[in-house]
Amino acid sequence: MNKKEILEKFSADPQRYYNVNLFEDQGFERKSCNECGRFFWTLDSERVNCPDHSDDTYSFIGDPPTSKRFDYTQSWKEVESFFVKNNHTSINRYPVVCRWRDDLYFTIASIVDFQRVMGSKVVFEFPANPLVVPQTCLRFKDLENVGVTGRHFSSFCMIGQHSIPNENGYWKDECVDLDFNLLTQQFGIAKKEITFVEDVWEGGGSFGSSLEYFVRGLELGNAVFTEFQGDLSNYKTLDQRIIDMGAGLERFAWITMGTPTAYDCCFGPITQKLIQKTGIDTDSSVLVPYFTEIAKNLELYDDLSQVRKNAIKTTGLSDEQINRIITPLEGIYLIIDHIRTLIFAISDGALPSNVGGGYNLRIMLRRIVSTMDRLKLKFDLDEIIDIQIDYLKNTYPELEKTREDVKEIISIETGRYDSSKQRMQKIVSKLDKEPKVEDLITLYESDGVTPEYLKEMKVISEIPSTFYAKLSDLHQSKKQKEQVNLPLEGVPDTELLFYGDDPREFDAKVLKSFENFVILDKTAFYARGGGQEPDHGSIGGQEIIDITKHGNVVVHEIKGNVPKEGDTVSCTVDSKRRDGITKNHTSTHIINTSARSVLGSWVWQHSAFKEEDHARLDITHHSALTNDDVKKIEDAANSIIEKSIPVKIENFDRGTAEQKYGFRIYQGGVVPVKSVRIVSIGNLDIEACGGTHVVNTSDIEQIKITKTKRIQDGVVRIEFVSGDSAKEFVKKKQQDSESKEKEEKVKEQEKEKRIEQRQLTKERIPVIAKSLLECKQGAITVDDITMELADSGKANFCYSTSNNYDDVFHIGLGEALCNEDPKLVYCGLFEQGEKIRVIVYAGEDISKEKSAGEIVKSISQILGGAGGGSPKFAQGGGIDKSKKEDAIKNAKSMIIE
RNA sequence: GGGCCGAUGGCUUAGGGGUAUAGCGCCACGUUCGCAACGUGGAUGUCGAGGGUUCGAUUCCCUCUCGGUCCA
């Protein structure tokens, strides 16, 4: 079943699917487009083509079809007041970070606000009926078009008009009536200008007809009537029919203003300000035809550069005009658009990063910076943010609160881009040949150099088609989580005692048992979930290994034999473990709120893990934590403990909880149930959470952060301990620092000793050397060092076998003596622990025939070891101390012979 | 979780199985009325921690810690 088939079927029966009271009352005609055959409804008897193929397409540019002039802010005020007047509730926008859906990073349509996924089903939850919402939506598909086409945005405001047909809401007739009246009455557009085009919508197993409404070729909105489920040959009406009318607020503003592009009337004063700053001459006789032509051509070509080329050709703009006016304008539009999107995304808690949705934000920021570089525009991003928020807060007052946070994140990210460019440049400059696919992967994985950058730098001409395939192969070998399928059909939900009295000992009936698994009618054992580790304890005297939850059934895995089905067993929860985990769980909430208050509004829980004696919380944050950050977070957490704040647990209907507390409650992820359990610590922290918690923060006694680590871009891990574990940790740390202090003292003493020793050696060497050199013939011994002089012309020999000297002494003395006597060979042997070492120094002249290295080799061999070195200096050693005298004799014979 | 890189006087760093480099800074002396500058000389290092291989490890191998960086 595809859209085309549905449309064919529906359009074949317009009376049933498309005709509404409005068309009857006003006398709309149904026509088929001469060009494409599409069916549309119009009051204009002369109109023969659908809006996509009409002559008046985009003729509102420079000539709007109404006398009213509404900018972006005013347009919403008009829309809102119209719908409120007509019994709609106006609700605040939902966050652009779509935390209530696992399958979306960002809110992409107003209807998403009210969709909740439960298992494989999407259910709708409306806080009011009917309602209207100015929903900011983020879409990154057409980034290339932003700034160029005049109407594409990376984020836009979708006017969401939603209704469920019941005693409060309405269905097609009233919906189309309202939309028609909105355009004609509130916006002053002539009735003849409005065209409704037949279309259909299909998704998520349901489908329905829809009417798109156009004015002068511009699609303003689309009213979707979600009505059926099944397939085309056999479908039935849904229990819950829904009207999903989505309209683009930016387009409403544009059609009244008739500016060359939608960008000119939707960003407030910033656009003019930047244009003035850049000194672009925005001659409307150039811009109006150019952007009208762009808008028309957009439907004709797939390739954007082709659209642009053609528009330039048709309007006859010169290269000079393009370079001086059009190109810089496109850059300004892009920058403003991207910053507006970043303002919303960062305000709602998203961070630019290299993963998931954060990557889109990073890409946008980099586009902003590189556009400024390319066009040599010097804008102050902070100023742009300020002016935009000043304007946006008319519609979205909440943006004021995060103004400074947005600036901070953008400035950090800009700095990061600069240094990453430098780093990439450095790495790229070292490349000596064109990298192969394998090299590209290494460059990307270990150095973060993207192939896009290499292409930009002209290092490679094209990104190899196999690049992304090979990259994903590399990461696909990771093991997949094993899915265990247990025979649980027909087993009733387990009653969870830990949400009630939470007994630590209880009797329960065995509903089912197989292999090592036991299912009870009720349990006080907490099953693994929400980052909280399972309880330990025993069932019928058998130790529990693991507890997991399958749907609403708790499955206990035990060691040993399982009890018989139907038996009643006595169960005991390991209290000490549970208490430790419970303290850590509440501590996680405390650390989370503390981190947010210390670091900034962008801090959200990323994931968490709670064990008996330690826990960790991963939060979203842009940088690694400093020691100062850690201390502040710890102090904030402990002050919450000191304040003895009661921990309150209440159950709410999900929609009520969201309206009452906002989307901050979804710290731990999406809650797939209708009723949510809200855990609140005063008004400091309010989260939807299924875990076990202490009654009062004072029960935790103490929190100690043990370690923090940046585990991925934009995520910091905080490891901590609480309660007794925290006390133990503090005690141990105290002991550690004491023993470290002692160790350092010993080190210091050793160092002093060493220096003293060295000093002594240094003083003694010249004295001893002088005495030895006084010997003019024969032999003398000074302080266990023997000097033997040979006949003139032959090598002199000086040696010592005393253990009173170390290597530093021998090296020093050898050097001193040989400098004075170039015919001298100095040979020092000394014992060092279990080993014996040899140091040989040879004077300048003698080293040419008697190499120190050779002598050492020979001596060391006798000593049962090895050695070597240069002709003038060598060292070696061995293990056989008893050969010491043999060794020195050998040396003597080698030198003197 | 994984990959890569790094840790050498106060700082920046070279090197690489056999006496540990250099620059800046520091100290002393000289030149100078003095400072800067210059010249000469000097001090400062268990080469991140622990283990292994070796006669000998800062260097090679293993483990760990810390830091950086990239990927998921």
Side-chain angles (χ1 to χ4, degrees), chain A residues 282-302:
Chain A
T282 52
D283 183 354
S284 64
S285 69
V286 173
L287 296 186
V288 169
Y290 174 78
F291 280 107
T292 308
E293 204 53 39
I294 284 275
K296 283 183 178 171
N297 277 286
L298 207 51
E299 309 296 335
L300 305 179
Y301 304 96
D302 287 339

Side-chain angles (χ1 to χ4, degrees), chain A residues 159-386:
Chain A
I159 303 164
Q161 172 200 359
H162 301 287
S163 166
I164 301 167
N166 58 18
E167 62 276 17
N168 300 317
Y170 49 80
W171 191 236
K172 289 183 191 178
D173 289 327
E174 193 173 344
C175 176
V176 179
D177 258 352
L178 284 165
D179 294 339
F180 187 71
N181 290 339
L182 173 68
L183 295 178
T184 53
Q185 293 166 15
Q186 202 83 15
F187 280 77
I189 296 169
K191 292 177 179 178
K192 256 170 80 174
E193 297 268 12
I194 300 160
T195 309
F196 289 92
V197 177
E198 293 180 7
D199 201 6
V200 293
W201 183 88
E202 152 319 282
S206 49
F207 61 98
S209 60
S210 77
L211 283 167
E212 295 174 317
Y213 51 95
F214 289 77
V215 173
R216 303 238 187 129
L218 182 68
E219 182 190 351
L220 290 174
N222 187 11
V224 172
F225 308 105
T226 310
E227 194 175 3
F228 305 112
Q229 65 179 11
D231 58 59
L232 264 189
S233 54
N234 177 24
Y235 55 90
K236 55 171 193 170
T237 306
L238 288 163
D239 300 336
Q240 196 183 29
R241 290 180 296 164
I242 277 168
I243 289 183
D244 169 18
M245 199 297 292
L249 182 66
E250 280 81 359
R251 294 181 174 191
F252 273 64
W254 193 19
I255 201 110
T256 73
M257 302 292 274
T259 46
T261 72
Y263 313 124
D264 297 299
C265 58
C266 289
F267 295 122
I270 186 65
T271 315
Q272 271 313 310
K273 180 147 187 145
L274 293 190
I275 287 173
Q276 274 164 22
K277 203 170 218 166
T278 322
I280 304 170
D281 167 25
T282 52
D283 183 354
S284 64
S285 69
V286 173
L287 296 186
V288 169
Y290 174 78
F291 280 107
T292 308
E293 204 53 39
I294 284 275
K296 283 183 178 171
N297 277 286
L298 207 51
E299 309 296 335
L300 305 179
Y301 304 96
D302 287 339
D303 183 6
L304 185 62
S305 65
Q306 193 58 44
V307 171
R308 209 169 171 271
K309 262 184 217 157
N310 208 54
I312 292 168
K313 203 174 132 196
T314 321
T315 50
L317 292 193
S318 67
D319 284 355
E320 193 268 340
Q321 281 172 310
I322 294 294
N323 292 336
R324 186 169 50 82
I325 303 171
I326 303 297
T327 305
L329 267 182
E330 287 170 344
I332 289 173
Y333 296 147
L334 177 146
I335 290 165
I336 301 174
D337 165 88
H338 284 18
I339 288 185
R340 185 172 78 169
T341 301
L342 288 169
I343 289 172
F344 278 107
I346 295 168
S347 289
D348 290 351
L351 289 176
S353 76
N354 61 5
V355 270
Y359 192 63
N360 291 312
L361 305 184
R362 172 161 290 171
I363 289 289
M364 279 205 290
L365 195 105
R366 296 188 169 193
R367 279 166 60 93
I368 292 171
V369 175
S370 60
T371 300
M372 288 203 293
D373 287 351
R374 180 166 52 86
L375 299 174
K376 303 197 169 53
L377 302 171
K378 289 207 167 52
F379 295 150
D380 178 357
L381 294 185
D382 279 2
E383 191 191 1
I384 299 177
I385 294 165
D386 272 331

Side-chain angles (χ1 to χ4, degrees), chain A residues 366 417 419-430 447-450 453-454 457:
Chain A
R366 296 188 169 193
Y417 181 40
S419 53
S420 119
K421 259 194 302 194
Q422 277 174 23
R423 191 173 48 75
M424 287 200 282
Q425 255 159 31
K426 219 163 135 186
I427 293 167
V428 167
S429 69
K430 280 186 194 156
D447 301 314
V449 179
T450 57
Y453 178 80
L454 292 173
M457 297 306 288

Side-chain angles (χ1 to χ4, degrees), chain A residues 530-581:
Chain A
Q532 178 169 339
E533 288 294 282
D535 278 334
H536 287 172
S538 63
I539 293 176
Q542 301 285 2
E543 194 188 326
I544 296 177
I545 305 170
D546 197 7
I547 307 161
T548 47
K549 216 174 158 188
H550 302 258
N552 289 322
V553 178
V554 175
V555 179
H556 310 78
E557 186 181 353
I558 63 170
K559 223 182 221 175
N561 296 327
V562 293
K564 276 208 285 295
E565 289 176 12
D567 280 4
T568 297
V569 284
S570 61
C571 308
T572 311
V573 179
D574 179 340
S575 248
K576 185 170 164 285
R577 175 177 164 86
R578 163 68 83 73
D579 290 344
I581 293 177

